[in-house]
Amino acid sequence: MSDSQHKRGDPATSLKRLRKRVLGGSYVLLDSMAADELVAAQDLIFKGEAEIVLSACKPFLVAKMDRIIIA
Protein backbone atom coordinates (compact mmCIF):
# COMPACT_ATOMS: atom_id res chain seq x y z
CA MET A 1 0.00 0.00 0.00
CA SER A 2 1.51 3.35 -1.02
CA ASP A 3 1.60 6.42 1.23
CA SER A 4 -1.10 8.11 -0.84
CA GLN A 5 -3.50 5.26 -0.04
CA HIS A 6 -3.15 5.60 3.74
CA LYS A 7 -6.08 7.01 5.65
CA ARG A 8 -5.74 10.75 6.15
CA GLY A 9 -6.74 12.79 9.16
CA ASP A 10 -4.46 12.12 12.12
CA PRO A 11 -1.74 14.82 12.20
CA ALA A 12 0.60 12.74 14.37
CA THR A 13 0.41 9.83 11.93
CA SER A 14 1.01 12.12 8.96
CA LEU A 15 4.06 13.64 10.66
CA LYS A 16 5.48 10.24 11.58
CA ARG A 17 4.96 8.87 8.06
CA LEU A 18 6.47 11.95 6.36
CA ARG A 19 9.43 12.05 8.77
CA LYS A 20 10.17 8.40 7.99
CA ARG A 21 10.08 9.06 4.24
CA VAL A 22 12.22 12.21 4.34
CA LEU A 23 14.80 11.00 6.84
CA GLY A 24 14.97 7.73 4.90
CA GLY A 25 16.36 9.64 1.92
CA SER A 26 13.27 10.30 -0.18
CA TYR A 27 12.80 13.46 -2.20
CA VAL A 28 9.12 14.33 -1.72
CA LEU A 29 7.64 16.59 -4.39
CA LEU A 30 5.74 19.41 -2.69
CA ASP A 31 3.20 19.62 -5.51
CA SER A 32 2.13 16.02 -4.87
CA MET A 33 1.56 16.40 -1.12
CA ALA A 34 -1.86 16.45 0.54
CA ALA A 35 -2.85 19.19 2.99
CA ASP A 36 -1.99 17.11 6.07
CA GLU A 37 1.42 16.28 4.62
CA LEU A 38 2.10 19.97 3.96
CA VAL A 39 1.34 20.74 7.61
CA ALA A 40 3.72 17.95 8.66
CA ALA A 41 6.36 19.27 6.24
CA GLN A 42 6.09 22.71 7.81
CA ASP A 43 6.69 21.16 11.23
CA LEU A 44 9.77 19.28 9.98
CA ILE A 45 11.15 22.47 8.43
CA PHE A 46 10.62 24.53 11.60
CA LYS A 47 12.34 21.84 13.68
CA GLY A 48 15.34 21.89 11.31
CA GLU A 49 14.90 18.28 10.22
CA ALA A 50 14.05 19.04 6.59
CA GLU A 51 14.48 21.70 3.96
CA ILE A 52 13.09 22.57 0.55
CA VAL A 53 15.43 22.24 -2.41
CA LEU A 54 14.87 22.84 -6.10
CA SER A 55 15.73 20.09 -8.52
CA ALA A 56 14.78 20.27 -12.19
CA CYS A 57 12.83 23.46 -11.36
CA LYS A 58 10.57 21.57 -8.94
CA PRO A 59 10.41 21.98 -5.13
CA PHE A 60 11.26 18.90 -3.08
CA LEU A 61 11.27 18.29 0.67
CA VAL A 62 14.49 16.57 1.73
CA ALA A 63 16.31 15.77 4.95
CA LYS A 64 18.45 18.67 6.11
CA MET A 65 22.11 17.79 6.04
CA ASP A 66 24.56 19.12 8.59
CA ARG A 67 27.23 21.00 6.71
CA ILE A 68 30.70 21.36 8.17
CA ILE A 69 33.13 23.61 6.38
CA ILE A 70 36.77 22.91 7.13
CA ALA A 71 38.94 25.97 6.64
Side-chain angles (χ1 to χ4, degrees), residues 1-8 17 37:
M1 182 180 292
S2 72
D3 287 355
S4 62
Q5 293 173 335
H6 285 282
K7 188 175 181 180
R8 305 283 186 212
R17 187 172 52 247
E37 292 174 322

Side-chain angles (χ1 to χ4, degrees), residues 24-45:
S26 294
Y27 276 49
V28 183
L29 182 62
L30 291 181
D31 295 342
S32 68
M33 297 172 87
D36 59 338
E37 292 174 322
L38 289 171
V39 171
Q42 183 178 15
D43 192 36
L44 291 175
I45 291 167

Side-chain angles (χ1 to χ4, degrees), residues 3-67:
D3 287 355
S4 62
Q5 293 173 335
H6 285 282
K7 188 175 181 180
R8 305 283 186 212
D10 183 22
T13 303
S14 297
L15 178 61
K16 184 178 177 182
R17 187 172 52 247
L18 186 61
R19 177 180 282 130
K20 183 178 177 182
R21 285 177 61 196
V22 170
L23 297 181
S26 294
Y27 276 49
V28 183
L29 182 62
L30 291 181
D31 295 342
S32 68
M33 297 172 87
D36 59 338
E37 292 174 322
L38 289 171
V39 171
Q42 183 178 15
D43 192 36
L44 291 175
I45 291 167
F46 287 155
K47 289 180 180 178
E49 296 182 46
E51 61 187 346
I52 296 173
V53 297
L54 292 176
S55 180
C57 297
K58 294 183 180 182
F60 289 91
L61 184 71
V62 298
K64 190 167 188 176
M65 304 294 250
D66 291 329
R67 294 177 180 91

